[in-house]
Amino acid sequence: MAKGKGAKAADDAAPESAPAAAKAGGGILGLALLAVGAIATSFATVYFLSPAPAAEVAVCEADESVTHTESAIKPNQSYVELRDILITIGSAPATRYLKMKVAIIADSGDVTTVNDAEPVLIDAFTNYLRSVELSDFENPGFYSHMRDQLDRRSQLVLGGNVSDGVLITEFLLR
């Protein structure tokens, strides 16, 4: 009977040690497979989703001739600064405002004409700027359009032979 109990105890011990050994080996093997899978996935992600290499760009040679352009500043040009333009923006209560300083490009002989027409110029600019929505100022491409509109209004007031353009020298939107 003692032999029967001992044999049964030995039979019970053998099945317990086999799954424990298989569990330990499978755990390490599982971790190794997980690591290899993670490495393969990372490589595939970088390899397939990275942008194509940039095409080679030709290098400028020092002996190439340089094309010189004519200066936009004419020798007989003057810049007439107008007084500050301060307006509120939007139809809501006056919480946002625009402060802007503008200069008119004119020939040196036409400076007095621009100075005399300053109130009419500021009125024309103010009427245009009041029609602009706040969302327009948030668009970076709007500023060149605004300069063109101000230039058009200065040419309407002064005439195309007096005004050569408009410069925005200060711009503050609060």
Side-chain angles (χ1 to χ4, degrees):
M1 214 150 146
K3 187 176 179 188
K5 279 186 181 179
K8 188 170 185 172
D11 289 339
D12 288 340
E16 287 179 9
S17 63
K23 238 185 205 181
I28 293 173
L29 182 62
L31 287 176
L33 287 174
L34 182 65
V36 169
I39 291 171
T41 304
S42 298
F43 173 76
T45 301
V46 171
Y47 182 77
F48 290 113
L49 296 181
S50 63
E56 291 188 29
V57 178
V59 178
C60 294
E61 298 295 327
D63 60 340
E64 290 182 12
S65 64
V66 177
T67 306
H68 294 285
T69 59
E70 188 177 317
S71 174
I73 300 171
K74 298 175 186 171
N76 194 18
Q77 228 173 27
S78 294
Y79 304 96
V80 182
E81 275 204 33
L82 304 179
R83 63 180 185 258
D84 291 351
I85 299 172
L86 181 66
I87 61 168
T88 57
I89 301 293
S91 58
T95 57
R96 306 286 309 258
Y97 67 90
L98 170 70
K99 181 180 179 186
M100 192 164 133
K101 190 171 251 274
V102 178
I104 305 295
I105 304 170
D107 291 336
S108 295
D110 295 326
V111 171
T112 56
T113 306
V114 175
N115 284 331
D116 291 343
E118 182 177 13
V120 180
L121 285 169
I122 290 179
D123 179 59
F125 294 163
T126 303
N127 284 337
Y128 166 69
L129 292 170
R130 286 200 184 273
S131 69
V132 176
E133 295 293 324
L134 182 61
S135 60
D136 293 335
F137 287 110
E138 295 170 353
N139 181 5
F142 171 73
Y143 293 99
S144 62
H145 175 72
M146 179 178 66
R147 182 181 292 123
D148 291 342
Q149 289 295 320
L150 295 176
D151 181 36
R152 182 165 184 241
R153 280 155 177 74
S154 73
Q155 288 181 3
L156 288 172
V157 170
L158 298 170
N161 56 349
V162 175
S163 175
D164 291 333
V166 172
L167 298 175
I168 300 173
T169 55
E170 288 183 31
F171 187 87
L172 176 66
L173 180 64
R174 285 195 128 180

